[in-house]
Amino acid sequence: MLPGVARGPGNRGGRRRGGEKDGDGVGTNFTPPREYGGYGIILLGGVTSNLLDEAMAWAVYGLLNRLSLTTELQIRFLGPVRCGDALTVVGSIASTN
């Protein structure tokens, strides 16, 4: 995992926080530093994917009190995410099937 986006409060290189309940989801705030940029200040797609994966995992843990593993991740990027912009990333449960 990349420093700054790795899971958990005990991770020395991580954000030192997990997800926080936010209505029907679990979310966190994160401002990606410039060194995570791939094209100037555009956030690398892998980092964006990692943030979304973390949001999914924290949603399962925070809302269902269960641990999870990602077995498949499909993402359609609709636009760029810029380094230095404050983000709110929220995961929710759409189905438990």
Side-chain angles (χ1 to χ4, degrees):
M1 292 203 179
L2 296 169
V5 293
R7 178 186 318 225
N11 184 331
R12 290 186 358 198
R15 291 176 293 177
R16 304 253 193 300
R17 61 189 300 172
E20 299 170 8
K21 287 187 181 180
D22 180 19
D24 292 335
V26 175
T28 192
N29 298 314
F30 179 67
T31 302
R34 289 190 178 267
E35 57 265 23
Y36 289 2
Y39 294 100
I41 62 167
I42 303 300
L43 186 63
L44 290 165
V47 177
T48 304
S49 300
N50 181 256
L51 289 168
L52 297 172
D53 183 54
E54 287 288 309
M56 289 189 302
W58 280 111
V60 171
Y61 184 73
L63 300 173
L64 302 178
N65 199 32
R66 297 176 60 186
L67 296 177
S68 65
L69 296 172
T70 302
T71 58
E72 185 175 342
L73 181 65
Q74 183 177 356
I75 299 170
R76 177 176 293 140
F77 296 102
L78 301 177
V81 177
R82 290 176 174 74
C83 296
D85 287 353
L87 305 173
T88 299
V89 184
V90 179
S92 61
I93 307 294
S95 172
T96 57
N97 295 338

